[in-house]
């Protein structure tokens, strides 16, 4: 396969993972990097030996012939950069959260559709190998039809040291972390018809909510609870593990802390260690997330080569983003929110 030429925009905290992963991806390489912060541009350009560097994305699009662009900036610049890529006919990956509002997200999807360019949201949590292992058990039919799910992320990890902006926004855990966990709920149990939410702020030093509990009706009939907390101090810190309970007509799945997967189903009970691999450039405890970055980036390149729509395309991600909007609206009103009314 011919190697595709990509560019990275945004050389910050998380982009370093993406650059490590791009080095290992078959069929693509990063030929240019861009950051409006000259120091971050220098650090990442030097670390990954990329000579073509830009402090202005428009200048990069004008000068480079790109097969795709990977937007790894924070949410405020996503719409401008995705629409710039669409205007230049360049396929684009955009980090989560995709946009500040659902109407921005819709406009971004429309801009790419009108320009005929593929768009994928870097919604990587569903690509974690323990989550893929749960999906594989569901697909095998071992537990029958799922009727209940609990997808849970509870931690006391200090995320603010690496990502200080997380402490300052009016929205925090649902927009930053809950978005991943809500996407996992959709990935496992299908699209959602209604959502009820409660939130709380326990840490007085931050501006947004750090606890969220969401109850959802899935269109296929299952009920799920998605619960997230960064105010939960445990004996053994689980960050960044997502724990899962699924009950089906013929059995159960439990993904417990320590990546222990217990399946009780039609053929009895099996317990497996589904720990993610520690990639050569990865470090604990982030290795779970880092592995999923490599997986989603390889998926993007495979999709570009085959013409297939990425699993977390812009259009797909509108349905996850709608759950974020619904959670904030539902927490404010304390009533259920109908998801179709938002889409
Ligand atoms: P960061 O602030 O460390 O880095 C963002 C970089 O983008 C900065 O260097 C900034 O100068 C640059 N930038 C901003 N606007 C720009 C523009 N218009 N043109 C060029 N450069 C621009 O942020 P981060 O922690 O790396 O987060 C980046 C994104 O990644 C966020 O959306 C965050 O939610 C997401 N994230 C995702 C995961 C995941 O697992 N998917 C994990 C962490 C962060
Ligand atoms: O994955 C993320 O979006 C990160 C974190 C795991 C810290 O929430 O911001």
């Amino acid at each position: 396969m011919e190697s595709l030429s990509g560019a990275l925009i945004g050389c910050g905290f998380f982009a370093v993972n993406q650059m490590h992963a791009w080095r290992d991806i078959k069929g693509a390489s990063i030929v240019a990097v861009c950051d409006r912060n000259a120091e971050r541009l220098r650090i990442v350009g030097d670390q990954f030996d990329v000579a073509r560097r830009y402090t202005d994305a428009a200048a990069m699009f004008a000068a480079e012939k790109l097969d795709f662009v990977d937007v790894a900036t924070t949410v405020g610049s996503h719409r401008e950069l995705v629409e710039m890529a669409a205007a230049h006919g360049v396929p684009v990956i955009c980090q989560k959260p995709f946009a500040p509002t659902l109407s921005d997200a819709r406009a971004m999807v429309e801009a790419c559709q009108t320009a005929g360019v593929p768009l994928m949201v870097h919604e990587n949590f569903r690509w974690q190998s323990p989550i893929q292992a749960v999906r594989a058990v569901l697909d095998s039919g071992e537990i029958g039809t799922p009727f209940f799910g609990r997808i849970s992320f509870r931690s006391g990890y200090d995320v603010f040291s690496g990502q200080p902006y997380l402490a300052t926004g009016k929205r925090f855990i649902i927009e930053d972390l809950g978005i991943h966990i809500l996407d996992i709920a959709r990935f496992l149990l299908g699209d959602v018809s209604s959502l009820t939410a409660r939130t709380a702020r326990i840490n007085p030093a931050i501006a947004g909510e750090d606890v969220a509990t969401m109850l959802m009706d899935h269109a296929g009939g299952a009920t799920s609870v998605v619960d997230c907390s960064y105010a939960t101090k445990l004996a053994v810190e689980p960050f960044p593990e997502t724990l899962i309970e699924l009950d089906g007509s013929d059995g159960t799945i439990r993904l417990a802390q320590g990546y222990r997967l217990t399946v009780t189903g039609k053929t009895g009970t099996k317990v497996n260690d589904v720990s993610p691999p520690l990639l050569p450039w990865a470090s604990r405890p982030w290795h779970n997330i880092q592995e999923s970055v490599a997986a989603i980036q390889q998926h993007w390149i495979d999709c570009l080569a085959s013409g297939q729509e990425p699993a977390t395309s812009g259009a797909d991600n509108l349905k996850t983003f709608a759950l974020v909007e619904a959670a904030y609206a539902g927490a404010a009103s304390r009533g259920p929110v109908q998801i179709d009314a938002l889409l």
Side-chain angles (χ1 to χ4, degrees), residues 96 125 159 163 166 176-177 180 230 239 286 289:
K96 52 58 66 179
F125 269 40
V159 285
Q163 296 165 265
L166 294 178
D176 182 68
L177 182 274
H180 291 305
Y230 272 127
F239 180 88
W286 285 83
I289 291 178

Side-chain angles (χ1 to χ4, degrees), residues 9-15 18 34-37 40 55-57 72-75 77-78 80-81 95-97 122-125 162-163 165-166 176 180 286 289 292-293:
I9 307 178
C11 298
F13 167 78
F14 199 70
Q18 294 171 225
C34 170
D35 199 300
R36 59 188 179 196
N37 177 324
R40 286 304 309 170
T55 50
D56 176 38
T73 62
T74 40
V75 66
S77 48
H78 287 177
E80 182 197 355
L81 293 169
Q95 255 297 350
K96 52 58 66 179
H122 186 119
E123 178 41 78
N124 51 320
F125 269 40
Q163 296 165 265
Y165 58 89
L166 294 178
D176 182 68
H180 291 305
W286 285 83
I289 291 178
S292 69
V293 168

Side-chain angles (χ1 to χ4, degrees), residues 53-198:
R53 303 176 190 181
Y54 299 85
T55 50
D56 176 38
M60 185 177 78
F61 278 111
E64 297 287 337
K65 193 174 164 347
L66 299 170
D67 296 314
F68 71 94
V69 66
D70 188 6
V71 174
T73 62
T74 40
V75 66
S77 48
H78 287 177
R79 180 167 177 180
E80 182 197 355
L81 293 169
V82 166
E83 290 183 349
M84 204 181 283
H88 286 83
V90 177
V92 54
I93 309 173
C94 181
Q95 255 297 350
K96 52 58 66 179
F98 185 32
T101 68
L102 190 54
S103 73
D104 287 308
R106 265 195 230 101
M108 292 153 78
V109 170
E110 212 174 290
C112 290
Q113 276 168 353
T114 305
V117 307
L119 163 65
M120 180 179 83
V121 178
H122 186 119
E123 178 41 78
N124 51 320
F125 269 40
R126 64 162 78 179
W127 285 97
Q128 293 170 7
S129 49
I131 309 295
Q132 293 281 327
V134 170
R135 178 73 246 181
V137 176
L138 278 178
D139 289 343
S140 74
E142 180 69 11
I143 72 154
T145 305
F147 60 84
F148 170 82
R150 178 179 175 209
I151 330 288
S152 178
F153 187 109
R154 310 193 77 79
S155 165
Y157 188 81
D158 174 20
V159 285
F160 310 108
S161 58
Q163 296 165 265
Y165 58 89
L166 294 178
T168 59
K170 272 194 354 212
R171 292 179 167 193
F172 168 40
I173 200 168
I174 300 171
E175 183 183 77
D176 182 68
L177 182 274
I179 196 167
H180 291 305
I181 313 305
L182 291 164
D183 189 68
I184 291 173
R186 277 191 59 231
F187 177 57
L188 298 177
L189 294 170
D191 287 338
V192 174
S193 53
S194 83
L195 180 151
T196 304
R198 298 290 182 267

Side-chain angles (χ1 to χ4, degrees), residues 126 146-152 174 177-198 212-228 242-246 318-328 330-331 335-340 342-343:
R126 64 162 78 179
F147 60 84
F148 170 82
R150 178 179 175 209
I151 330 288
S152 178
I174 300 171
L177 182 274
I179 196 167
H180 291 305
I181 313 305
L182 291 164
D183 189 68
I184 291 173
R186 277 191 59 231
F187 177 57
L188 298 177
L189 294 170
D191 287 338
V192 174
S193 53
S194 83
L195 180 151
T196 304
R198 298 290 182 267
T213 309
M214 292 153 278
L215 173 68
M216 303 197 291
D217 293 312
H218 292 261
T223 304
S224 72
V225 175
V226 167
D227 59 291
C228 305
T242 302
L243 309 185
I244 295 178
E245 297 172 20
L246 292 171
L318 291 180
K319 297 186 211 167
T320 293
F321 203 91
L323 302 184
V324 170
E325 294 270 310
Y328 284 111
V337 179
Q338 301 307 313
I339 305 305
D340 275 354
L342 297 174
L343 286 167

